[in-house]
Each structure stands twice: as C-alpha cells, then as structure tokens.
C-alpha cells in the first residue's frame, strides 16, 4: 500500500528535535491546563516528525517536594505510594488525548536520582555551591522561596497587623523556613545570563515574557537555597545525605536525565540530543526555566536549550469575583478534560485548544466558543467536504475514487494552485507555534474545495456521459485536495486524519515528509472508497454543558 502521499521514500532526517513539557506535580489529577501544555508539545512533535526531524518528545511527573508529601499524608499514604497511585491518571489521559511522547519520566526513577547526584558532584567540583543557613518565606503550593522584599511588597504591614503573609503569586499563606541549606551561586550568573539573552533573541518567547525575565535578571540575582533538611521527600545529596534536593533543582534536571546525562553508556545519545530544542512551559514557571535553569546548565558546563515557549493560562470565571482566573489544581477550579472530551471528542478537543486559544496570551475558554469552532471548521468545512466528496465518488465511480488521468496532475485548477506552496506557509507557522495560522492555511484549501464543488458541479457533469472525463478530473482533484489536507491536519487531529486517508484507500500511516506529501498530483486513485459515518457530527445548543467562561 502506498503511503499517504503515494511515494515510497522514507523520511530524510533533518537532525535531532528534542521537545519537552513541564513535568507535572502529582498532587492532584491532570486538568485542562496541564493537558494544554502537553497537547501544544504533542502537535509540535507530530509536525516535526512529519517534517523529517528525528524527534524526541518527553513528558513526565514531578514527584518530590513538600506539596506532594503533604498530599500523600492527607491521603494516609507514603509519598511513593501516593505517586504510584497518581501515575495511571496521567498516562491514561495522555493516551486518550493521543499524546505521542517517546519517554515518560518520573523523578522517583533511579535513572533520575543518579543523574541529579551526578549534577551535584559536578557543581561541587566546579565550585558553584556552598553550605549556609536559610531563613525566609516559602510557598508550598508553588514550591517557591520568596525574599523579604517580595513578601513585604505583596503584604503591606503584615507584621504590624499580626498576619501571616500570603504568596505574592498565588495569594495563599506562606510558611516560615529556617534551616541549614546548600546554596547555588546564582548571583554569579547575572552577566552570563544577560549576555545569553542578548545573543539569543529567540531564547524565550513571547517577547513579553522575555522582557519580564530580562528585567528580573537586571534587577540582580541572589544565591538560591537548593536543599532542604526539615523534610526528606527528595533526592539526597551524595556528599551530605541529611540534605535533600530542593524540588525545582531536582525537577529541572529531568530534561537531562531523559537523554542520558551522567550515564557513561549513553554518552553518544546525550551528545546527540542535548541541548533540547524546545521547552514548553506555562508563563508561571519562566523564572525557573529561563533564569535558574540556564544558570544551572552554565554552572555545570553544559549548553543551554535553544528555545523556551511560555504559553499563557486557560482562565475560568471565578463565581465570587466574576473575574477570569488561572485554572489550577490547588485552587480547585479546574475543569476536567472529560467534560470537554464528552462534548467535542478527542479530535475536536485538540483542534479547539490548539487552533483557537492563542499560545502567547491567556485564553478564556467557553463551551459556546468550543462548539462554534468545532461546527465551523470541523463539521461544516472539513467533515462536510469529506462526506460530500466520498459520497459522490461512491455513486459515480462504483465505490472507488477515479483513477488519475495522464495529465490530471499538470492540468491547471484552483485546487492545484491553492495546494502548491501550502507546505512553506504551513511549516513556517507551525515552527513558530502559530497553530491557528497554520490550520487556517489548510482550511483555505478545504474551503476552496467546498467552493469547487459548487463551481465545477460534479453532480451536473454526472448527468452527461460526454463529460465523463471532466467528472473524473473534478472528483480526482477533490480527493487529492482531501489527501493533502488530511496530512497537514494530522498533527492536530491525528485519528481523524488517519481515518480520512483510510476512507480514500491510502495508508493511514503517513510515512512521507510533509514536503513530499504536499506535492500536487501524487494520488493515483482507483482506490476503494468508504463513505463511513460523519466524522464530525454537528453540535447544537442543547448539547452544551454550563458555560466555563
Ligand atoms: O509547575 N492554563 O507542575 P504543575 C494553562 N512540577 N496551563 C496550565 C494551567 C492553566 N490554567 N495550569 C497549569 C509544575 N498549566 C512543576 C513543573 S518542570 C521542570 C516542573 C500548565 O503540575 C503550565 O504549563 O503545577 C504550567 O507551567 C504547568 O501546567 C505546571 O504544572
């Protein structure tokens, strides 16, 4: 069987493309927000694979730290039991959402403990850590230390008022910590980091996050407490086992662990895969990924990642204040992915969040808008094109697609014009994470094909035996447009695209590159057609749950 583009060639690797999601805390079930980062990374990973990159897509779980230990205690479990019990919820959701990760890391895995301990040895040897005492404020839900200045700024006169200060970010109560600690010499990296930002203007996107981070660095960096002694749910230091690694220091290293850091047998893999091309993160964790992480890597003598994409938050309306606020597990306002999957199906879910919610900014989500996007793009434009075209093929060509006539590929047509050049436009937008614009490029072809049915009128041609050849050309062109659109839509809606390719008698497994796939005229035709059920049945008002706006 031919591949999706009819060619028999394999892919031409363009080199390694290593992409990561944040590793999620196991303190509660995954929600729409965590799924959002994961699908953003998945769409890029699928695009890169099809574009000929040797792609490695990593996701996983952040299992240490006080927050996770507290959740375990609240459930009467040991931290390890609690973590183990939470793993299936994440794995099952990623499977259902068609997440194509190549590895799933857990920070309690032995490979990670080894890698973190190796990192400690390297930092000690290179002189970037020292022992001291830490006294200050800590936010357990955010697992973040705050300086007295930050705390005073967010909590006016809290001492005089006799109040416990709240976290400057999430507004939940802080705890006072006073303990012996190892410190990372972050203060030494102010200049190297500023130089790195000056030399790599695209290191952190969007620009608003970059500006925030750069001005934070310009404001001066303090050494960072990176071990804890008042609780033990973490990775012990190899040279001071009373100390466990601060959860963020531990978690960031996961990106190295997964590609073989510190494992002499994986030295080649590590050299090939590191540095990562893209870290996907939410805007809440840019300081960790764009200040502490590059400084840690510089301290260890390792190159920094090429690119960090910091997306905005999915917002839900607070019933008391009426304002949009970040959806989060700790705030208890998270929408279960199941609710959206029940409404849109997995394909509709992926399409809506990737195409309609801009990645740089915060996005208020609503069930009304979900239904609108689904109906317009997937039901009316894409689903309708496929079903009308396949029905006509089945009717006019005896259950088959028309065979490609000898000049069909060269014959001028609006669809041919539209399809040519689609690759460059689409790939540029995809590589920039402008998924909405990339999908719009494909939808232009889909709309053009729907118009073509109206203008070329295959249903009229079918009535005139003298127009048989023209009918074959029109229908072949429509199926060819469908083949190309299905391949380009596949990073967003992989199952539905595979199904469309199958229904037109092509290999649902796309084995060519996108560039090859977009070549007009490769579809040979004369393949069995399967009409099948509607791919995207229309939604009506009565199906919508309460609005999440
Ligand atoms: O921060 N909208 O884990 P986490 C969009 N373990 N994205 C959201 C979101 C929302 N409302 N809420 C969460 C951690 N996210 C650390 C990461 S990485 C070395 C360690 C996404 O479970 C967003 O990407 O709190 C955010 O950065 C991530 O989930 C945090 O997940």
């Amino acid at each position: 069987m031919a591949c999706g583009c009819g060619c028999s060639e394999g892919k031409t690797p363009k080199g390694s493309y290593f992409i990561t999601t944040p590793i999620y805390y196991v303190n509660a079930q995954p929600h729409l927000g965590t799924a959002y980062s994961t699908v953003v990374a998945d769409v890029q990973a699928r695009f890169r694979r099809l574009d000929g990159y040797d792609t490695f897509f990593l996701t996983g779980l952040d299992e240490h730290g006080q927050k996770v230990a507290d959740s375990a205690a609240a459930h009467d479990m040991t931290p390890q039991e609690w973590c183990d019990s939470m793993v299936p919820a994440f794995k099952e959701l990623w499977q259902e959402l068609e997440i194509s990760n190549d590895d799933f890391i857990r920070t309690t895995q032995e490979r990670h403990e080894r890698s973190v301990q190796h990192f400690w040895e390297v930092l000690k040897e290179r002189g970037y850590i020292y022992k001291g005492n830490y006294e200050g404020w800590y936010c357990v839900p955010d697992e973040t230390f705050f300086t007295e200045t930050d705390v005073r700024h967010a909590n006016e006169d809290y001492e005089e008022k006799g109040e416990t200060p709240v976290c400057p970010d999430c507004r939940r109560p802080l705890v006072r910590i006073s303990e012996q600690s190892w410190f990372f010499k972050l203060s030494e990296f102010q200049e190297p980091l500023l130089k790195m930002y000056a030399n790599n203007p695209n290191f952190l996107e969007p620009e608003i996050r970059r500006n925030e981070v750069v001005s934070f660095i310009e404001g001066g960096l303090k050494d960072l407490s990176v071990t804890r002694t008042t609780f033990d749910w973490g990775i012990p230091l190899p040279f001071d086992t009373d100390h466990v690694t601060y959860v963020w220091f531990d978690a960031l290293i996961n990106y190295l662990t997964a590609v073989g850091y510190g494992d002499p047998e994986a030295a080649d893999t590590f050299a090939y895969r590191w540095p990562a091309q893209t870290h996907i993160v939410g805007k809440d964790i840019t300081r960790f990924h764009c200040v502490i992480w590059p400084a840690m890597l510089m301290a260890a003598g390792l190159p920094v990642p090429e690119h960090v994409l910091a997306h905005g938050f999915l917002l839900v309306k607070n019933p008391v204040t009426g304002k949009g606020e970040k959806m989060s597990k700790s705030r208890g306002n998270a929408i279960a992915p199941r609710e959206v999957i029940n409404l849109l199906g997995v394909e509709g879910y992926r399409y809506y969040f990737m195409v309609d919610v801009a990645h740089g900014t915060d996005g208020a989500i609503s069930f009304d808008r979900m239904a609108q996007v689904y109906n317009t793009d997937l039901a009316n434009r894409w689903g309708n094109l496929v079903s009308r075209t396949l029905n006509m093929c089945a009717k006019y060509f005896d259950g088959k697609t028309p065979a490609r006539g000898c000049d069909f590929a060269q014959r001028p047509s609006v669809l041919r014009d539209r399809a040519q050049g689609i690759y460059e436009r689409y790939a540029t937008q995809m590589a920039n994470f402008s998924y909405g614009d990339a999908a719009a490029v494909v939808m232009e072809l889909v709309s053009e094909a729907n118009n073509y049915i109206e203008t070329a009128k295959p249903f009229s041609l079918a009535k005139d035996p003298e127009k048989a050849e023209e009918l074959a050309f029109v229908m072949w062109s429509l199926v060819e447009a469908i083949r190309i659109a299905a391949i380009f839509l596949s990073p967003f809606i992989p199952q539905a695209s595979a199904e469309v390719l199958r229904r037109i008698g092509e290999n649902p497994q796309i084995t060519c590159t996108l560039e090859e796939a977009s070549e007009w005229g490769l579809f040979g035709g004369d393949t069995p057609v399967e009409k099948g059920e509607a791919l995207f049945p229309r939604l009506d008002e009565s199906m919508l749950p309460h609005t999440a706006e």
Side-chain angles (χ1 to χ4, degrees):
M1 196 187 272
C3 86
C5 80
C7 78
S8 55
E9 301 284 315
K11 291 178 202 166
T12 29
K14 293 183 178 173
S16 174
Y17 185 82
F18 176 23
I19 182 166
T20 68
T21 71
I23 50 169
Y24 304 106
Y25 289 125
V26 289
N27 60 311
Q29 302 283 326
H31 62 81
L32 278 187
T34 45
Y36 178 68
S37 309
T38 313
V39 180
V40 170
D42 183 66
V43 169
Q44 190 66 208
R46 287 177 180 274
F47 159 65
R48 295 286 175 166
R49 284 189 200 106
L50 285 179
D51 202 26
Y53 287 86
D54 180 8
T55 303
F56 186 67
F57 169 23
L58 174 70
T59 189
L61 298 176
D62 190 353
E63 302 190 3
H64 290 128
Q66 203 165 343
K67 169 156 74 171
V68 171
D70 289 352
S71 295
H75 289 84
D76 248 345
M77 289 188 198
T78 65
Q80 190 63 62
E81 281 167 354
W82 169 249
C83 293
D84 292 347
S85 76
M86 292 302 288
V87 173
F90 285 88
K91 285 198 167 170
E92 282 161 19
L93 181 62
W94 299 158
Q95 196 171 5
E96 180 163 15
L97 290 178
E98 301 168 49
I99 303 303
S100 61
N101 54 302
D102 299 291
D103 195 355
F104 187 89
I105 191 163
R106 298 180 55 186
T107 52
T108 49
Q109 286 166 342
E110 209 189 316
R111 59 172 171 162
H112 184 61
E113 182 159 334
R114 262 202 319 268
S115 147
V116 170
Q117 294 195 330
H118 181 71
F119 196 86
W120 275 120
E121 297 285 11
V122 171
L123 252 51
K124 185 158 176 264
E125 207 176 288
R126 293 170 62 95
Y128 285 109
I129 52 170
Y130 62 91
K131 206 169 177 173
N133 281 304
Y134 178 78
E135 161 99 42
W137 294 104
Y138 192 74
C139 173
V140 177
D142 287 351
E143 297 282 16
T144 305
F145 296 99
F146 286 99
T147 62
E148 195 60 50
T149 320
D150 288 340
V151 172
R152 280 188 195 288
H153 199 68
N155 295 268
E156 221 175 287
D157 303 330
Y158 76 89
E159 277 161 317
E160 289 81 342
K161 292 180 195 157
E163 289 170 354
T164 304
V166 295
C167 169
D169 288 343
C170 73
R171 317 290 309 166
R172 283 166 291 191
L174 294 168
V175 291
R176 187 83 188 159
I177 285 181
S178 174
E179 62 190 358
Q180 199 183 50
S181 178
W182 283 83
F183 285 80
F184 170 53
K185 293 184 184 170
L186 184 61
S187 59
E188 293 197 6
F189 291 93
Q190 181 175 9
E191 285 313 313
L193 283 170
L194 289 174
K195 204 186 262 175
M196 190 273 285
Y197 274 94
N199 293 339
N200 301 283
N202 299 327
F203 175 74
L204 169 57
E205 283 176 312
E207 205 183 338
I208 180 174
R209 302 290 157 238
R210 179 178 188 276
N211 295 343
E212 268 169 20
V213 165
V214 169
S215 63
F216 175 78
I217 300 170
E218 283 167 347
L221 299 175
K222 290 201 166 58
D223 289 350
L224 186 70
S225 160
V226 283
T227 67
R228 305 286 312 270
T229 39
T230 44
F231 82 109
D232 66 358
W233 183 235
I235 298 179
L237 269 61
F239 42 80
D240 195 354
T241 51
D242 289 343
H243 290 246
V244 293
T245 312
Y246 165 47
V247 62
W248 267 103
F249 216 68
D250 156 348
L252 288 162
I253 296 171
N254 92 85
Y255 303 131
L256 296 177
T257 305
V259 289
Y261 178 69
D263 176 357
E265 283 178 18
D268 288 348
T269 307
F270 186 69
Y272 175 60
R273 288 292 184 197
W274 193 261
Q277 275 56 52
T278 305
H279 290 318
I280 304 290
V281 301
K283 67 176 186 180
D284 51 337
I285 55 176
T286 48
R287 278 194 199 171
F288 294 102
H289 283 84
C290 305
V291 181
I292 299 173
W293 180 226
M296 285 168 68
L297 290 164
M298 288 177 194
L302 293 168
V304 302
E306 286 175 18
H307 185 221
V308 179
L309 178 85
H311 63 70
F313 292 147
L314 301 179
L315 303 179
V316 278
K317 198 172 177 180
N318 180 309
V320 180
T321 64
K323 287 189 184 153
E325 64 176 23
K326 183 194 170 200
M327 189 190 317
S328 85
K329 292 171 284 195
S330 319
R331 285 197 179 107
N333 64 1
I335 296 178
R338 170 69 37 218
E339 264 194 278
V340 183
I341 295 174
N342 286 348
L343 179 68
L344 304 180
V346 168
E347 308 296 290
Y349 177 117
R350 291 176 59 108
Y351 189 83
Y352 167 74
F353 283 110
M354 293 305 105
V355 166
D356 200 55
V357 181
H359 303 315
T361 50
D362 291 347
I365 58 167
S366 80
F367 286 114
D368 283 344
R369 179 69 191 156
M370 286 177 201
Q372 199 184 346
V373 171
Y374 171 99
N375 279 339
T376 307
D377 280 8
L378 297 179
N380 296 351
R381 290 160 113 185
W382 180 228
N384 208 14
L385 171 68
V386 173
S387 104
R388 286 171 87 192
T389 304
L390 299 197
N391 276 324
M392 286 191 282
C393 278
K395 194 159 147 198
Y396 306 145
F397 296 92
D398 204 15
K400 289 184 159 185
T401 59
R404 180 181 51 204
C406 57
D407 73 333
F408 281 8
Q410 286 77 41
R411 210 185 277 187
S413 84
V414 282
L415 292 185
R416 181 172 181 262
D417 291 348
R418 182 65 73 180
Q420 279 177 347
I422 194 174
Y423 168 73
E424 285 76 14
R425 292 172 65 213
Y426 170 93
T428 307
Q429 302 292 0
M430 287 298 275
N432 285 336
F433 289 85
S434 302
Y435 292 166
D437 294 332
V441 170
V442 190
M443 281 300 154
E444 281 173 17
L445 176 63
V446 171
S447 294
E448 192 77 73
N450 276 316
N451 292 341
Y452 186 67
I453 297 180
E454 301 311 320
T455 52
K457 297 189 177 23
F459 35 85
S460 304
L461 299 174
K463 292 182 190 142
D464 182 350
E466 283 186 13
K467 301 271 171 65
E469 205 258 358
E470 198 180 335
L471 174 67
F473 172 69
V474 167
M475 292 309 303
W476 173 87
S477 300
L478 285 167
V479 183
E480 174 62 331
I482 287 175
R483 178 191 69 84
I484 292 174
I487 292 172
F488 281 87
L489 286 174
S490 70
F492 301 109
I493 48 173
Q495 278 298 331
S497 293
E499 176 60 14
V500 168
L501 291 171
R502 201 186 60 75
R503 286 186 190 183
I504 62 170
E506 288 283 290
N507 185 348
Q509 213 98 59
I510 305 160
T511 53
C512 58
T513 64
L514 275 175
E515 201 169 359
E516 291 164 342
S518 62
E519 211 176 302
W520 181 259
L522 291 172
F523 181 63
D526 200 23
T527 51
V529 150
E530 194 184 307
K531 291 191 276 179
E533 303 206 324
L535 284 171
F536 296 102
R538 266 189 71 82
L539 296 172
D540 67 56
E541 281 272 305
S542 68
M543 296 159 141
L544 304 187
H546 68 277
T547 180
E549 204 164 25

